[in-house]
Amino acid sequence: MFKFKTHKNIVSISKNKWEECSGKDNPFLEYDFLWCLEESGSVGQNKGWIPQYISMEYNNNIIAVAPLYIKLHSQGEYVFDHNWAYSYESAGGQYYPKLQVSIPFSPVTGNRILINNKCNQFKQKDIIRSFGKVIKDKTKTFNLSSAHITFCTSNEAETLSEIGFLHRIGEQFHWQNNNYLDFDQFLTSLSSRKRKSINKEREYIKNSNIKILQKTGNEISDSDWDHMFLFYQNTTDKKWGNAYLNREFFDLIAKRIKDKILLILAKENGNIIAGALHIIGYNTLFGRYWGSLKNIKYLHFELCYYQAIDWAIRNKIKYVEGGAQGFHKVQRGYLPVQIHSSHFIKNADFKEAVNKFLIEESSIINRDIKLIKKSHSPYRNK
């Protein structure tokens, strides 16, 4: 009933056909973002992210697509399986290469099996299962250890678990706009201690002779992009040792998705010293990259959290996602939420061992989320 095709580059699928499936609510799922990654060489054979996009056809029409990659390592995924790889290879197996359905370098939740919204809900579940079976078959055909679908939706994870995928639960911290009129009204929703702490941090930045700029679209200059790439390199060199993205990628997104970019810059004595890059979705502001040339107390919180919240309130954006991890976000108004991924492990014994780990891990994470919301929430009790 369904016909599947593998595409080694995204240009072999038309932009219109892709976006009939991806929609335009989440920029990371859109054709242009993935094209920029591929065109810039930020993904490819030499980066260990080898594109193998899958399309599904029904009556000669593409009704679903998925961003699939052959992975030669576990870098740039944010759902960590390094210990799985170590255990698998210690037992004599070969963990890499593996299959990965994800948005490279982007810990952003969204559908990973992108289905044309003209398909009814019942058919969508059939499509998810069919995609899952194709991914399982590819894993077996090419004698790969595993396949991983990361930052998928809970519906996808639950549906895929019906055909033998393992459901993994993780944790992120997101901010929600409860129809605040301005930043001050948001502050009044916090406990007195948290409110005073935020005011203290923001006052410190104001008194440090630092000017904050918010720029979108054509307001962002080539010079601004030069600075932002420098900040990105500085941060990634400190964290990971090398930058995943290259300068050309930033040039390309500046042209292809410029109206979906918010750049927040800090100037000191007329010089830009720090910046944070956010991606604007339909109802979510996604914080992605940050960097600074100077170590100024509270500047990271100002650019990445407070300015993002302020912009979201003024533009009536419902959510701010601040990226991976970060318990420190809680005292700044972000609360924990579940994130989901699905994993197919070919070896039965190893699958059982991973499943036991995931059951324990999920229990710990769910307990942590409940505890944070109950005992560490920054919001006043109502």
Side-chain angles (χ1 to χ4, degrees), residues 265-284:
L265 302 170
K267 293 182 78 172
E268 181 185 51
N269 299 323
N271 298 314
I272 297 176
I273 61 166
L277 188 155
H278 297 74
I279 304 294
I280 304 166
Y282 169 72
N283 211 20
T284 304

Side-chain angles (χ1 to χ4, degrees), residues 192-203:
S192 174
R193 187 163 61 90
K194 295 295 189 295
R195 187 165 60 247
K196 288 178 181 178
S197 176
I198 290 174
N199 281 329
K200 175 185 173 183
E201 292 175 359
R202 303 203 78 187
E203 194 65 27

Side-chain angles (χ1 to χ4, degrees), residues 297-313:
K297 189 162 58 171
Y298 308 135
L299 186 57
H300 172 256
F301 304 144
E302 180 66 30
L303 296 191
C304 296
Y305 307 141
Y306 305 142
Q307 289 289 326
I309 289 172
D310 180 69
W311 193 91
I313 292 172

Side-chain angles (χ1 to χ4, degrees), residues 76 182 280 356:
D182 52 31
I280 304 166
K356 288 179 180 178

